Amino acid sequence: MTVNILFAAHEKRWAQYETPLRTALDAIGIDYVLSTSHPPEDVDYIVYAPNSDVQDFTPYTRLKAVLNLWAGVETAVHNPTLKVPFARMVDAEGLTQGMVEWVTGHTLRHHLGMDAHIVNPDHVWTAEAPPVAADRPVGILGLGELGTACGQALAALGFPVSGWARSAKQIDGITAYHGDDGLREILSTSEIVILLLPSTPATENILNAETLSLLPKGAVIINPGRGQLIDDDALIAALDSGQAGHATLDVFRVEPLPPGHPYWAHPKVTVTPHIASETRPPSASRAIAENIRRGEAGEPFLHLVDRDAGY
Ligand code: NAP
């Protein structure tokens, strides 16, 4: 029987995804029709982005799964009409690789103190070498697909890496913590803190006045996770007091970051416009096709979202 697949992400994504999706779907050997406009009652799978026009899944009566093109699912996970399996994107070649490169680059920038030599209008000769990575403890909040890959890349460079997750873990190269005590431990020892948690009620404002006060003075915060993880006023106060040395932020509560937001002009904040990593159409298409193959073969879907946990 023909499998009907609705592509329900933004129009400009269709131009990027149509060919790689067809290539990946051809490779799994199913009879399919991929389109941006199937009658809802005929649709078996939806390739989805949470900013899609499709917000009410009720008319999709034979839907088997919704397959997200994004890793973050917070704006779709609590949709009461989305009752079928909902898979998020895990894309090692695009999302994960991009995040590893962005996090490693920004960590090395702060570790090596590169800014002092890039912008040096008075031509000051400060012959002070930075410490080696082994002397710069790094903490990663979130040890999922992205946090683990970033942590292991930093550990391979020699950084002592600690990480924090909801569950207990054993990960090569990373000292893993969980629970409130684990959070306190990791924050009180990390000179660079990287946020790779999802946005959920439990993680909102995880960096606040109290938790920021645990950090070693002058610690650097790098946030490619979600804007909701940070209490913005508390972070600005910590930067102003010197408790935090710098914040490199890729994600914000409101995006694009509004003109005039204090982050834009703050001398200790680097703003990047939600570009830390992006799904890569060829590999993401293979991930989507693999889940459709699984669905048709009666095998469990990969990377299902836990609706209760919210990620
Ligand atoms: P993931 O695989 O679902 O990992 C999430 C991690 O967070 C897991 O280790 C999880 O713990 C931990 N966690 C969740 N809730 C927690 C809590 N209450 N306390 C402690 N730990 C908690 O997600 P991912 O693929 O690594 O992606 C992480 C986030 O990165 C996404 O949600 C998205 O917001 C963001 N992202 C940003 C960009 C960008 O360009 N800036 C791109 C992609 C993704 P367990 O392991 O115990 O479940």
Side-chain angles (χ1 to χ4, degrees):
M1 197 165 138
T2 301
V3 177
N4 290 323
I5 303 164
L6 177 70
F7 187 87
H10 195 279
E11 216 176 82
K12 79 173 186 194
R13 298 289 173 207
W14 179 236
Q16 298 170 327
Y17 275 93
E18 183 181 2
T19 301
L21 267 175
R22 290 193 191 284
T23 304
L25 290 164
D26 289 347
I28 63 170
I30 56 164
D31 177 23
Y32 69 91
V33 177
L34 172 67
S35 168
T36 54
S37 63
H38 283 294
E41 63 277 12
D42 292 348
V43 172
D44 295 291
Y45 297 93
I46 298 182
V47 179
Y48 193 62
N51 62 356
S52 157
D53 290 342
V54 175
Q55 295 297 326
D56 180 6
F57 292 90
T58 316
Y60 296 87
T61 45
R62 81 176 213 199
L63 194 59
K64 296 173 188 167
V66 173
L67 308 170
N68 208 33
L69 289 172
W70 302 359
V73 294
E74 68 275 12
T75 52
V77 69
H78 299 302
N79 182 331
T81 67
L82 203 180
K83 295 185 170 139
V84 297
F86 180 35
R88 65 192 201 89
M89 179 50 64
V90 173
D91 165 31
E93 291 170 40
L95 269 182
T96 309
Q97 179 61 23
M99 189 61 82
V100 166
E101 293 176 14
W102 188 91
V103 163
T104 305
H106 286 278
T107 301
L108 285 173
R109 168 194 170 194
H110 294 298
H111 166 62
L112 296 174
M114 287 179 177
D115 292 14
H117 308 290
I118 293 171
V119 181
N120 187 6
D122 299 328
H123 303 171
V124 178
W125 183 270
T126 315
E128 198 179 305
V132 293
D135 297 328
R136 181 85 68 192
V138 173
I140 303 195
L141 306 191
L143 285 176
E145 292 295 327
L146 302 179
T148 298
C150 292
Q152 290 187 319
L154 293 172
L157 286 173
F159 291 99
V161 178
S162 308
W164 185 69
R166 204 158 59 102
S167 54
K169 289 181 189 298
Q170 291 229 312
I171 302 174
D172 284 348
I174 301 176
T175 306
Y177 296 96
H178 65 285
D180 290 347
D181 289 348
L183 181 63
R184 296 181 77 80
E185 175 66 24
I186 195 167
L187 290 179
S188 58
T189 53
S190 299
E191 293 179 14
I192 298 178
V193 175
I194 298 155
L195 304 184
L196 276 167
L197 292 161
S199 172
T200 71
T203 61
E204 178 153 19
N205 291 331
I206 197 98
L207 274 198
N208 53 45
E210 188 200 339
T211 51
L212 284 162
S213 74
L214 299 172
L215 294 169
K217 197 168 172 60
V220 167
I221 289 109
I222 299 179
N223 184 17
R226 281 291 182 262
Q228 287 78 359
L229 302 174
I230 295 180
D231 175 336
D232 294 326
D233 292 341
L235 176 58
I236 288 169
L239 290 163
D240 288 343
S241 74
Q243 169 58 13
H246 196 97
T248 292
L249 309 172
D250 185 57
V251 283
F252 306 90
R253 283 167 193 270
V254 178
E255 294 182 4
L257 186 65
H261 191 286
Y263 282 149
W264 280 118
H266 201 289
K268 294 182 181 173
V269 174
T270 300
V271 170
T272 65
H274 202 144
I275 43 80
S277 75
E278 196 174 37
T279 314
R280 203 165 161 260
S283 43
S285 296
R286 287 194 291 276
I288 298 278
E290 170 58 11
N291 255 344
I292 291 175
R293 186 199 67 73
R294 286 171 164 263
E296 293 309 291
E299 296 173 21
F301 292 108
L302 295 175
H303 314 306
L304 285 180
V305 172
D306 175 338
R307 310 294 175 88
D308 294 333
Y311 68 98

